[in-house]
Amino acid sequence: SAVISQKPSRDICQRGTSLTIQCQVDSQVTMMFWYRQQPGQSLTLIATANQGSEATYESGFVIDKFPISRPNLTFSTLTVSNMSPEDSSIYLCSATTGVGGGELFFGEGSRLTVL
Amino acid sequence: AQSVTQLDSQVPVFEEAPVELRCNYSSSVSVYLFWYVQYPNQGLQLLLKYLSGSTLVKGINGFEAEFNKSQTSFHLRKPSVHISDTAEYFCAVSEGGTNKLIFGTGTLLAVQP
């Protein structure tokens, strides 16, 4: 299994600012992902965080808005840039230690409110 | 492209009654199927998963699900629910061989005394 810690757990931000969310896993994992959960909605995959290289973004998400880093096997960051109220969401880090079909572990999420 | 449909946004049920949460998926290739639970103000936790083999899958907390390929369904069931089962339940699918999960919109199971 893997325990995932995210910081901050919640924050209130001003429009136009940027915030970086950190994700730390307690063991080496094969893959890490970032999801967004907008109020009352399901989880949407933002991108796959690739170790040592650029993240792979899903349709509708771009690097300029959501830059992601993954410098090693256990750590990743997601930045939400130039925030607007529409970015108010829970951002979830997830990771797996297996290959296809392996369990995806989730952090408790970072709840961002943009004023 | 894959997609997941959870037909019920909310399912109210009395304690000790049985419950079924419905999930249908669409995919052109073989898939892995998952059910996750999200308790209030907590992260997601895996309930059970189907990769291959027996179509009836048993998970934690007394839940089980049945994979039906012909109906492209993966409904979640529990014979007798408890108040503590009140949570949001998400069905998810990944194409065989990948770890990218596509989630349904979730079903809120509201257990009443």
Side-chain angles (χ1 to χ4, degrees):
Chain A
S1 68
V3 177
I4 299 177
S5 303
Q6 285 185 235
K7 289 193 297 187
S9 58
R10 60 179 61 228
D11 207 341
I12 299 173
C13 308
Q14 297 298 317
R15 180 195 298 261
T17 63
S18 299
L19 182 78
T20 296
I21 302 168
Q22 298 180 2
C23 175
Q24 179 71 56
V25 189
D26 70 343
S27 58
Q28 292 188 353
V29 292
T30 53
M31 300 184 77
M32 296 181 74
F33 305 91
W34 286 97
Y35 284 84
R36 181 174 71 182
Q37 186 176 20
Q38 292 179 300
Q41 297 188 30
S42 186
L43 286 78
T44 302
L45 180 62
I46 297 172
T48 303
N50 299 310
Q51 186 202 353
S53 64
E54 190 172 291
T56 305
Y57 290 85
E58 297 299 308
S59 175
F61 297 96
V62 295
I63 188 171
D64 290 346
K65 176 67 175 177
F66 297 102
I68 289 171
S69 76
R70 187 182 173 192
N72 57 51
L73 289 174
T74 62
F75 185 78
S76 177
T77 65
L78 167 73
T79 299
V80 186
S81 303
N82 188 25
M83 286 185 284
S84 67
E86 292 71 35
D87 295 318
S88 297
S89 287
I90 300 173
Y91 292 86
L92 293 137
C93 175
S94 65
T96 181
T97 57
V99 293
E103 178 176 351
L104 208 58
F105 299 95
F106 286 84
E108 293 192 354
S110 299
R111 183 184 296 269
L112 300 188
T113 302
V114 185
L115 303 177
Chain B
Q2 308 161 79
S3 66
V4 179
T5 302
Q6 292 182 247
L7 295 169
D8 306 302
S9 60
Q10 186 167 348
V11 173
V13 62
F14 288 107
E15 194 172 20
E16 297 184 6
V19 70
E20 178 179 84
L21 306 184
R22 296 181 292 171
C23 173
N24 288 87
Y25 69 93
S26 66
S27 177
S28 58
V29 299
S30 63
V31 297
Y32 297 150
L33 294 157
F34 305 78
W35 276 98
Y36 280 82
V37 60
Q38 186 176 34
Y39 297 103
N41 299 315
Q42 294 188 28
L44 279 78
Q45 179 183 4
L46 180 66
L47 269 180
L48 47 79
K49 64 180 178 181
Y50 171 79
L51 304 184
S52 65
S54 172
T55 57
L56 183 63
V57 180
K58 294 190 182 297
I60 61 171
N61 300 340
F63 283 93
E64 64 180 33
E66 185 154 21
F67 170 59
N68 188 318
K69 187 175 182 179
S70 63
Q71 297 186 5
T72 59
S73 68
F74 190 55
H75 301 332
L76 181 71
R77 303 188 193 100
K78 186 169 183 177
S80 176
V81 295
H82 303 289
I83 295 285
S84 59
D85 292 323
T86 295
E88 190 85 26
Y89 291 79
F90 292 96
C91 182
V93 62
S94 72
E95 289 187 346
T98 77
N99 285 303
K100 268 182 12 176
L101 292 189
I102 306 300
F103 285 83
T105 50
T107 298
L108 175 62
L109 176 62
V111 182
Q112 305 164 23

